[in-house]
Amino acid sequence: MLRFSFNWCLFVLTAAVLASCCGSVACECEDRYAEAIKLQFSADAVKGFQDREIRNVFLVRVPNDTAQRPRADTVAFTRANGQRLRDTLVINNLTPFTRSGNRNLNEYRYQVYLARTRRDSVFFRYAIDSVALRTRLQGDGCCTCYQNTSKLVYTNGSTTPINLTDPSANNQLVPLVLARP
């Protein structure tokens, strides 16, 4: 009986030591952009956009499952106080839209529209038809972090994906460059 108590106490003491070790370690996963897509408007002289053309950007998200609600969400970005919208737009699970249930970024289709003013007609459309993500949890000692292993984006009805996977495997943003057709 004494041996059972000693083993039990040794087990509890070991568990407490391990828990205190992992409890004092701050995990810095750097996985904020693991599933995010950064939109960047091309500055190319031929197929790019001038800053004055990127004054009003409208982003619409529609669930892949059309029976879901809300059916569509729209966010408008307006250039104000000299702010540049050329490369500041990021689509993530929680931004710029609020989360709806437990659906992630890859469970939606997106449309990007440009108009010179809010009242003008749209002069540029870009469709993000689907996003294919592959991820895994990567453990390192006391920390378990989220790692993106593949981020493929299908746009404008194309069957050829655009690879936005960070080549350094650090979950950094690789921009999706939007240009005129």
Side-chain angles (χ1 to χ4, degrees), residues 77-95:
F77 299 93
T78 302
R79 189 176 106 179
N81 302 325
Q83 174 192 17
R84 290 182 49 158
L85 295 176
R86 181 171 301 283
D87 59 0
T88 59
L89 304 178
V90 175
I91 304 171
N92 207 341
N93 290 327
L94 300 173
T95 58

Side-chain angles (χ1 to χ4, degrees), residues 2 16 50 67 72 74 77 86 101 104 107 117 120 128 140 162 178:
L2 185 59
Q50 297 175 2
T74 302
F77 299 93
R86 181 171 301 283
N104 289 325
E107 297 177 68
T117 68
D120 283 349
I128 299 174
D140 182 20
I162 299 169
L178 308 181

Side-chain angles (χ1 to χ4, degrees), residues 114-179:
L114 289 181
R116 287 182 179 80
T117 68
R118 287 182 173 259
R119 292 182 185 95
D120 283 349
S121 61
V122 171
F123 72 91
F124 176 76
R125 288 183 167 93
Y126 193 88
I128 299 174
D129 301 319
S130 67
V131 179
L133 298 169
R134 272 189 278 159
T135 57
R136 64 183 161 97
L137 292 174
Q138 180 176 338
D140 182 20
C142 294
C143 295
T144 301
C145 297
Y146 193 61
Q147 179 65 44
N148 178 279
T149 57
S150 176
K151 188 185 311 182
L152 302 176
V153 177
Y154 295 85
T155 63
N156 295 325
S158 175
T159 57
T160 305
I162 299 169
N163 187 355
L164 300 181
T165 310
D166 178 16
S168 64
N170 291 324
N171 289 328
Q172 297 300 309
L173 290 171
V174 174
L176 174 61
V177 180
L178 308 181

